[in-house]
Amino acid sequence: MATQILMPALSPTMEEGTLAKWLKKEGDTVSSGDILAEIETDKATMEFEAVDEGILGKIVVPEGTAGVKVNTPIAVLLEEGEDASAADNLSTDAAPAAEEAPAAEAGADLPDEGPGAQPKVPAAVDVPETPEVPEGTTYKSQTVREALRDAMAEEMRRDGDVFLMGEEVAEYQGAYKISQGLLDEFGGQRVIDTPITEHGFAGLAVGAAFAGLKPIVEFMTFNFALQAIDHIINSAAKTLYMSGGQMGSPIVFRGPNGAAARVAAQHSHDFATTYAQVPGLKVVQPYSAADAKGLLKAAIRDPNPVIFLENEILYGRSFDVPELDDFVLPIGKARIARRGTDVTIVSFGIGMTYSMQAAEELEKEGISAEVIDLRSLRPLDTETVIRSVQKTNRCITVEEGFPVCSIGNHISAVLMQEAFDYLDAPVINCTGKDVPMPYAANLEKLALVTTAEVIAAVKAVTYR
Amino acid sequence: MATSKPAGKPNSATKEELQTYYKEMLLIRRFEEKAGQLYGMGQIGGFCHLYIGQEAVVVGLESAAKEGDQRVTTYRDHGHMLACGMDPKGVMAELTGREGGYSRGKGGSMHMFSKEKEFYGGHGIVGANVPIGAGLAFANKYRGNDNVAFTYFGDGAANQGQVYETFNMASLWKLPVIFVIENNQYAMGTSLARASSTPALYTRGEAFGIPGEAVDGMDVLAVRDASQKATAHCRAGDGPYILEMNTYRYRGHSMSDPAKYRTREEVQKMREERDPIDHVRELLVSSDYATEDDLKAIDKEIKSVVNDAAKFAQESPEPAEAELWTDVYR
């Protein structure tokens, strides 16, 4: 019986890819393990092996096709002796099971990130508040990944003391392709592959920062930075104070933070609050590509150690980025992503995805939500939050991290102390669940915050 | 690879050199004795780790340093600061937690720094200063100068994982760093034999291709020779070098050490037979480089420097309350 060969998911967060090249042609015999095709993901070019044996009856998706969704049929495999016409009888529409497939599941309620696809969030949202971008500025659509790379490249061009160090940042072009092209432009002296020794290279980078260089340390994920946390906190964050102001560490620690998709407990930890607790550190967690660019440039220029938390799922998402020669945003300033009057939703990072979707749904039900993207967790722009709550009198917070001592808990405490008389309902914190991240697709979904939970929380505080 | 046991007899030194070493070591000794006194009087608080007995290590190593070289160490750091030329007043005032201290009273004994003297701490976490030292060396290489980063740590830190991560990178990238293992025989109360599977610490870089040498750390001239060799190696771009300094601390690990892990006799024997300062004193006298009167004059001069430092440290005011909030961010 003819079987469909589906576009494979070659990484936990892959939703689509480019079918770069077919290595078998129609009519070729295929054995299990043969390389059928080369598939380009946003991270790398991968070889796609055959699982079953048979004859390649029909190539459905020709080579060179970009934006092929995971689980789309790309070819048909025939059994020995089967006629090529069997291939034609088989429907080559998207497999009905595709929606249920794990890779699609994880991103099911996320906007498409394909080049042509429009984000579901309103375009206006992605334009930062006017004071940050001069009037008449044009915008271009860019992924968060490209914005981060451009930020590093621009700062490296501007200042010879800036260098990038981390695992696979140079020759491999970045484990998540954030540093693509940087080795070519800046050379091995400034784009440095390290051994897999986070503790050691983080400490080494701090030493280089003490000596006046400006390292950008990429952690493949912040989960691995636990190995280096002594240097981040004890060496980088505290030395300015301990030295009576003599010795600072102008350093950026950056990389993906929090859950990606189906990588389980040791690769999904969200460290936002962990670092946000530490005096001496600045902590930034952008959502949009524009913020990623403007804030990373600011982080690199900042004379203090900055923890720059990225999100793997957001890397491929496109946003409008202002076309300015030198777009730098202030660290410590929240952004009002959407104006509203009935409730304030405070979020940051990927939490913004759920918040913006919820706001849109709520609008249909006549509830006007103001959404604040904190962007920076330390310093924290509580002023913007308080001002909004003084207007809406209700607040919920949204984040993917754990519930105990969350950013939401802190915001709640601040509001209770500084805006108690303005609150018409207790603040509700929507967070990830208080469990290590499970692997199973359904359990992972339950462990993370959802748009439905955000909507329910808003309805609770607005007594609807 | 040149991993070797102690070399033969050290080269001789000039009168000026010997006098300098004598003065520098004596300053550390007297300073530490005074710090011990002030601690006993309750004027220095917290942890206070004295360097008495180990003076030849830092003085010998510093003799080969040049302008722009950096140094970084762990928390037994008073000697390193004095040897690189930091002001005894500022160091003592930091010990007493006063405004006149190097960190304006916010760092204390274990956390002091001097950008001016290229002293990068003073670190409270055992082993953490080792990658930091390699980072200072990385900056030298990045900038293309021939400066060297002296990175000191103890026999206890020599078993830290990050030390080996650092050895690997330092050798891989040929960083100009001298790893000085100050083996004073006891990691707090645990002897070398009880904590280290292989006691020859100078061989610990072999797996990474780093040459190492064991040095008599009680003999300032042997240390000086080793420092000259190691700095030349680093300045030539040949990568890191390990020097294991076999030394001894006379006092406890910190001021609150009951010292049950070794005998009084063991300490007494080292003091009588191997004291680094007595050794130079004898050389000065036997070479007719100094008379007893000359030495007395030096003693007096050092004593007065230390007394001035103590006076300054006692009289300097406590930091203003507003200092609580400064220096968190730049």
Side-chain angles (χ1 to χ4, degrees), chain A residues 139-207:
Chain A
Y139 290 81
K140 67 173 169 186
S141 178
Q142 245 192 339
T143 61
V144 171
R145 170 179 286 112
E146 291 161 343
L148 291 168
R149 182 209 47 215
D150 286 357
M152 289 194 285
E154 286 177 20
E155 292 308 298
M156 287 176 78
R157 275 172 219 137
R158 183 178 170 267
D159 185 346
D161 285 342
V162 178
F163 68 92
L164 174 66
M165 163 176 274
E167 292 156 11
E168 310 291 6
V169 298
E171 306 222 342
Y172 195 93
Q173 306 287 325
Y176 295 100
K177 274 200 184 169
I178 306 300
S179 55
Q180 195 160 30
L182 296 184
L183 175 66
D184 289 345
E185 182 174 352
F186 300 103
Q189 173 88 1
R190 296 180 67 194
V191 183
I192 302 150
D193 279 328
T194 64
I196 309 174
T197 51
E198 285 83 4
H199 196 180
F201 72 71
L204 191 147
V206 172

Side-chain angles (χ1 to χ4, degrees), chain A residues 17-289:
Chain A
T18 299
L19 213 162
K21 192 175 179 191
W22 279 105
L23 298 172
K24 295 276 179 189
K25 40 184 206 300
E26 290 182 0
D28 280 1
T29 305
V30 174
S31 311
S32 159
D34 281 357
I35 297 159
L36 288 176
E38 280 177 5
I39 290 173
E40 232 173 76
T41 70
D42 48 10
K43 291 175 202 149
T45 301
M46 317 270 283
E47 289 174 340
F48 175 41
E49 292 178 6
V51 180
D52 301 313
E53 44 187 43
I55 293 155
L56 193 63
K58 188 179 172 189
I59 288 175
V60 181
V61 176
E63 64 181 30
T65 310
V68 183
K69 297 263 182 272
V70 166
N71 284 318
T72 310
I74 55 174
V76 178
L77 195 66
L78 303 173
E79 276 180 23
E80 199 71 41
E82 213 171 5
D83 193 77
S85 65
D88 298 328
N89 300 334
L90 201 67
S91 162
T92 48
D93 294 340
E99 286 305 303
E100 258 66 61
E105 176 104 345
D109 54 1
L110 303 177
D112 289 331
E113 51 174 283
Q118 285 300 309
K120 281 180 198 156
V121 288
V125 166
D126 300 322
V127 182
E129 290 281 280
T130 36
E132 289 171 356
V133 180
E135 210 156 328
T137 303
T138 54
Y139 290 81
K140 67 173 169 186
S141 178
Q142 245 192 339
T143 61
V144 171
R145 170 179 286 112
E146 291 161 343
L148 291 168
R149 182 209 47 215
D150 286 357
M152 289 194 285
E154 286 177 20
E155 292 308 298
M156 287 176 78
R157 275 172 219 137
R158 183 178 170 267
D159 185 346
D161 285 342
V162 178
F163 68 92
L164 174 66
M165 163 176 274
E167 292 156 11
E168 310 291 6
V169 298
E171 306 222 342
Y172 195 93
Q173 306 287 325
Y176 295 100
K177 274 200 184 169
I178 306 300
S179 55
Q180 195 160 30
L182 296 184
L183 175 66
D184 289 345
E185 182 174 352
F186 300 103
Q189 173 88 1
R190 296 180 67 194
V191 183
I192 302 150
D193 279 328
T194 64
I196 309 174
T197 51
E198 285 83 4
H199 196 180
F201 72 71
L204 191 147
V206 172
F210 285 171
L213 297 181
K214 294 165 189 163
I216 305 168
V217 174
E218 175 174 311
F219 290 116
M220 199 178 286
T221 89
F222 263 92
N223 298 278
F224 312 151
L226 272 185
Q227 301 245 6
I229 201 164
D230 176 56
H231 282 296
I232 297 173
I233 294 179
N234 274 319
S235 306
K238 296 178 182 171
T239 300
L240 184 68
Y241 197 80
M242 294 194 305
S243 67
Q246 285 184 75
M247 205 152 292
S249 346
I251 188 168
V252 176
F253 297 103
R254 50 156 290 271
N257 172 59
R262 307 289 311 281
V263 288
Q266 290 181 339
H267 286 70
S268 302
H269 198 115
D270 186 321
F271 292 93
T273 56
T274 309
Y275 293 112
Q277 267 219 322
V278 182
L281 292 179
K282 290 190 178 181
V283 182
V284 174
Q285 185 159 2
Y287 162 63
S288 74

Side-chain angles (χ1 to χ4, degrees), chain B residues 16-258:
Chain B
E16 287 69 31
E17 284 168 342
L18 281 176
Q19 279 188 350
T20 303
Y21 303 153
Y22 182 73
K23 280 185 193 172
E24 288 178 353
M25 288 197 288
L26 199 62
L27 173 65
I28 296 172
R29 176 76 52 96
R30 296 284 171 262
F31 182 96
E32 294 291 65
E33 287 167 352
K34 181 60 84 180
Q37 277 174 26
L38 294 180
Y39 195 93
M41 292 159 67
Q43 297 196 8
I44 296 174
F47 293 127
C48 185
H49 308 86
L50 303 181
Y51 199 63
I52 296 176
Q54 301 180 214
E55 297 91 345
V57 174
V58 78
V59 168
L61 275 149
E62 281 288 346
S63 71
K66 69 169 196 174
E67 185 77 25
D69 286 349
Q70 306 108 324
R71 60 282 296 165
V72 64
T73 186
T74 45
Y75 43 75
R76 193 178 306 285
D77 56 357
H78 311 163
H80 303 74
M81 292 187 274
L82 297 175
C84 73
M86 286 167 67
D87 183 356
K89 286 182 181 165
V91 179
M92 196 68 95
E94 189 59 37
L95 298 184
T96 54
R98 303 302 174 94
E99 189 186 80
Y102 265 98
S103 299
R104 296 214 297 282
K106 296 200 270 194
S109 165
M110 300 187 286
H111 317 110
M112 261 185 270
F113 305 81
S114 169
K115 191 93 194 166
E116 186 203 345
K117 299 291 179 188
E118 303 277 357
F119 179 72
Y120 290 83
H123 290 268
I125 309 295
V126 171
N129 63 307
V130 178
I132 289 171
L136 299 170
F138 176 92
N140 295 337
K141 184 154 193 210
Y142 192 90
R143 291 174 170 140
N145 62 38
D146 69 345
N147 282 121
V148 170
F150 292 89
T151 301
Y152 297 84
F153 54 102
D155 47 295
N159 291 321
Q160 270 267 350
Q162 61 185 314
V163 168
Y164 298 94
E165 295 189 14
T166 304
F167 281 1
N168 181 48
M169 287 183 285
S171 181
L172 184 68
W173 298 334
K174 292 217 176 307
L175 302 181
V177 51
I178 304 175
F179 297 111
V180 183
I181 305 174
E182 296 195 63
N183 178 4
N184 65 15
Q185 317 303 326
Y186 295 93
M188 200 166 154
T190 305
S191 68
L192 183 70
R194 293 204 300 124
S196 297
S197 58
T198 53
L201 302 178
Y202 66 94
T203 65
R204 292 280 178 100
E206 276 183 1
F208 305 93
I210 306 176
E213 214 171 305
V215 181
D216 179 357
M218 303 304 267
D219 179 349
V220 73
L221 298 183
V223 178
R224 180 204 57 182
D225 290 354
S227 183
Q228 283 170 354
K229 192 170 162 189
T231 46
H233 175 92
C234 289
R235 293 196 211 288
D238 293 336
Y241 207 92
I242 293 171
L243 295 176
E244 178 188 354
M245 296 288 156
N246 286 299
T247 182
Y248 199 81
R249 71 171 148 74
Y250 297 171
R251 297 294 188 93
H253 168 72
S254 66
M255 299 304 294
S256 50
D257 179 357

